[in-house]
Amino acid sequence: MHFRLPFLGLIANKDPMEGLVQHYNKIAECIHIINDSVECYVAGNDTCREFKELIEQIDKVESQADKIKRSIRNHLPHSLFMAVDKTLFFNYTRSQDNVLDNAQEALHWLAMRKVAIPVEYQKDLILLLSEVNDTTTSLGPALKATIALNDGKSIDREGTKNKFRKVRKHYAKAVELRKELTNRIYNSDMDFKDIYQLMHFVDCLNEMAHQAEGCADILRAMISR
């Protein structure tokens, strides 16, 4: 049986892969902000926080994530000592950062102007958001399991693959929900500006799940032999 040696831990004070976990934690913060925002937006609750405050909050989290990303890239060791292929590492970093970028854009589009979301679409919108939430939330355990496997702290290769499959499973559900919701909104009698704004918001949510699924694919490549 072949094991990868944790070279990086022997020669560097900080594993860049661990930095990706810190970066991922910012995704969880963004998801929390979007959940709060959509819940308030759909319900039209006057007691909710102002969207200006939510925008400032998600911009701050995204900025913090960018600093983590730059720190990771600026402190990479020589490629010879990387526990994973450097190209895969960069591709993963970019895809994970794209999740955050789309979360930020989604909220900016939602806050652009107030749209009265018809009752018949509210449930589907919440279901889509929930599936996107599950997709991105599933990425965290997949990332940590991959790091443990590559560092030799785990030998559960099949269990790690199952975590990748979980991300893909949730993404597939999100795609179906997005198709159905987009079709219904586009064919509705809503004002065109409302249709465009909601469709773009839905697209951003879907892209978050898409990028998370792409991250899972890259993680799968990182543990391939």
Side-chain angles (χ1 to χ4, degrees):
M1 183 178 292
H2 169 76
F3 294 96
R4 295 187 182 193
L5 293 176
F7 292 116
L8 199 60
L10 298 176
I11 63 168
N13 292 328
K14 192 174 183 180
D15 186 339
M17 292 293 286
E18 293 294 343
L20 292 181
V21 175
Q22 296 177 23
H23 184 268
Y24 170 81
N25 290 337
K26 295 300 174 184
I27 292 178
E29 291 185 39
C30 283
I31 284 290
H32 183 70
I33 296 170
I34 289 181
N35 283 341
D36 283 351
S37 304
V38 173
E39 182 179 345
C40 293
Y41 201 94
V42 170
N45 193 338
D46 293 335
T47 63
C48 295
R49 290 178 293 172
E50 292 291 335
F51 263 90
K52 182 180 178 182
E53 179 186 339
L54 292 163
I55 290 290
E56 291 174 352
Q57 191 174 347
I58 203 165
D59 286 348
K60 180 180 179 182
V61 172
E62 201 279 334
S63 177
Q64 291 170 344
D66 277 346
K67 289 180 181 177
I68 295 173
K69 180 185 67 178
R70 287 194 294 271
S71 176
I72 294 170
R73 290 179 172 176
N74 291 339
H75 294 89
L76 279 181
H78 190 279
S79 59
L80 176 64
F81 303 114
M82 285 288 290
V84 300
D85 180 87
K86 205 167 188 175
T87 300
L88 290 176
F89 179 84
F90 279 129
N91 289 341
Y92 180 88
T93 305
R94 182 173 58 251
S95 292
Q96 185 167 279
D97 198 56
N98 286 342
V99 177
L100 283 160
D101 289 343
N102 280 283
Q104 184 184 32
E105 185 173 359
L107 195 53
H108 274 264
W109 270 93
L110 195 64
M112 194 171 292
R113 54 188 278 277
K114 179 62 179 176
V115 176
I117 302 175
V119 175
E120 59 265 37
Y121 306 133
Q122 293 179 3
K123 182 180 177 182
D124 289 344
L125 187 60
I126 296 297
L127 286 175
L128 173 62
L129 179 61
S130 176
E131 208 60 53
V132 171
N133 195 345
D134 288 343
T135 307
T136 54
T137 301
S138 299
L139 180 61
L143 172 61
K144 292 173 184 175
T146 301
I147 294 173
L149 198 64
N150 278 320
D151 284 352
K153 297 175 182 176
S154 168
I155 58 173
D156 187 9
R157 183 174 293 274
E158 191 58 30
T160 303
K161 290 180 182 177
N162 284 336
K163 290 179 171 57
F164 305 151
R165 296 181 184 115
K166 188 174 181 180
V167 176
R168 296 190 194 106
K169 179 181 176 182
H170 284 300
Y171 172 61
K173 290 182 180 177
V175 169
E176 292 303 314
L177 290 170
R178 177 251 183 185
K179 287 180 181 176
E180 184 176 344
L181 182 56
T182 299
N183 184 56
R184 293 183 63 200
I185 292 174
Y186 187 74
N187 289 289
S188 72
D189 294 328
M190 298 168 64
D191 181 81
F192 176 75
K193 288 170 66 175
D194 293 348
I195 291 175
Y196 185 81
Q197 188 173 343
L198 282 182
M199 286 181 62
H200 200 85
F201 174 68
V202 167
D203 285 344
C204 289
L205 291 183
N206 182 73
E207 191 58 24
M208 288 174 63
H210 184 207
Q211 293 293 333
E213 189 252 1
C215 285
D217 286 344
I218 298 171
L219 291 177
R220 176 67 182 87
M222 286 182 180
I223 67 166
S224 63
R225 292 171 173 170

